[in-house]
Amino acid sequence: SQQGEEDPQALSIQEGENATMNCSYKTSINNLQWYRQNSGRGLVHLILIRSNEREKHSGRLRVTLDTSKKSSSLLITASRAADTASYFCAKRETSGSRLTFGEGTQLTVNP
Amino acid sequence: GAVVSQHPSRVICKSGTSVKIECRSLDFQATTMFWYRQFPKQSLMLMATSNEGSKATYEQGVEKDKFLINHASLTLSTLTVTSAHPEDSSFYICSARDYGSGSTDTQYFGPGTRLTVL
């Protein structure tokens, strides 16, 4: 399967709370990327973490990578209603140029 | 940042007709473009990798004669869904890598094309 696994599949929180999404993968990676997709729209690149990195920050986003467990997490702090979207992790395999996507987490932030 | 456009954004066609979708990199040259398909509430599935000046590389299970890809220039790739059927109805998204940027892993996505086959 192309897809890694993401959990949870759906997450509903209140505005101001933090949201954590997890992504696991099976093969070796060069890097792992997180994307956001609003309903029926294209993808927006959020953050990239390389295989030799453990943590990266970008504004309210924090991404961690644990290559020993083959997993990554995306934390959105102080969530806003506008953060409501689907979030996907995508892995760049070391063996080629393919970028393959996880199943995604549908985040709903209630005002 | 770099922009990738797709045309059309939405198309409705009759079963049996062919539909062409264009993907353009607007301010960078893309030697490699990717075509993805996304069904409702599902993830993006890579269909094929389009290489400028050579044949596309298709993922397992994707029919190359059904989904024709042409990457004739460094800024344009086209996907033609031939003899479309209702099961081909989906959201098609293209993506392009900008090797000219500081990061060789910068990949930009188009806004997608919604195909509905009646």
Side-chain angles (χ1 to χ4, degrees):
Chain A
S1 170
Q2 292 183 14
Q3 299 174 334
E5 295 183 3
E6 287 188 57
D7 73 272
Q9 288 187 336
L11 179 62
S12 181
I13 59 175
Q14 294 300 123
E15 211 165 22
E17 294 179 340
N18 295 341
T20 300
M21 289 159 270
N22 303 295
C23 169
S24 63
Y25 56 92
K26 298 178 181 178
T27 61
S28 296
I29 61 170
N30 178 279
N31 63 68
L32 189 142
Q33 306 176 33
W34 286 89
Y35 288 82
R36 166 199 169 114
Q37 183 183 36
N38 286 73
S39 180
R41 306 291 293 275
L43 273 72
V44 174
H45 183 268
L46 295 178
I47 197 166
L48 179 154
I49 187 165
R50 302 187 192 285
S51 60
N52 61 352
E53 297 176 315
R54 292 296 168 260
E55 186 171 313
K56 286 191 78 170
H57 296 254
S58 177
R60 293 184 296 112
L61 306 179
R62 182 171 77 101
V63 168
T64 62
L65 179 65
D66 187 334
T67 52
S68 66
K69 295 181 179 179
K70 289 186 165 56
S71 67
S72 174
S73 67
L74 170 67
L75 168 68
I76 303 174
T77 59
S79 64
R80 305 167 182 167
D83 294 330
T84 295
S86 292
Y87 292 82
F88 295 93
C89 69
K91 57 185 176 71
R92 180 80 71 193
E93 299 171 356
T94 52
S95 60
S97 64
R98 299 160 74 244
L99 187 68
T100 54
F101 284 79
E103 296 171 1
T105 295
Q106 172 61 52
L107 173 66
T108 302
V109 181
N110 302 299
Chain B
V3 176
V4 174
S5 70
Q6 280 184 241
H7 178 80
S9 59
R10 186 180 297 266
V11 57
I12 301 173
C13 69
K14 294 182 179 180
S15 184
T17 60
S18 294
V19 175
K20 180 185 285 188
I21 303 170
E22 293 185 348
C23 176
R24 293 181 185 274
S25 57
L26 296 186
D27 53 3
F28 66 100
Q29 294 183 332
T31 54
T32 304
M33 291 184 173
F34 305 88
W35 287 96
Y36 292 84
R37 179 168 56 184
Q38 184 180 34
F39 292 108
K41 299 188 184 302
Q42 294 188 24
S43 185
L44 281 74
M45 293 295 292
L46 180 64
M47 299 174 66
T49 301
S50 170
N51 302 295
E52 188 267 337
S54 64
K55 292 182 179 180
T57 303
Y58 289 82
E59 294 298 304
Q60 189 174 5
V62 178
E63 300 175 58
K64 63 180 181 181
D65 295 329
K66 171 77 172 176
F67 299 98
L68 300 178
I69 292 174
N70 187 314
H71 193 158
S73 78
L74 287 171
T75 59
L76 174 64
S77 176
T78 60
L79 169 68
T80 300
V81 183
T82 62
S83 186
H85 292 282
E87 58 265 30
D88 297 323
S89 298
S90 187
F91 194 52
Y92 292 86
I93 304 175
C94 74
S95 177
R97 293 185 76 172
D98 181 7
Y99 288 97
S101 71
S103 166
T104 58
D105 213 327
T106 306
Q107 187 163 332
Y108 298 94
F109 285 80
T113 297
R114 175 78 58 193
L115 170 64
T116 302
V117 185
L118 302 177

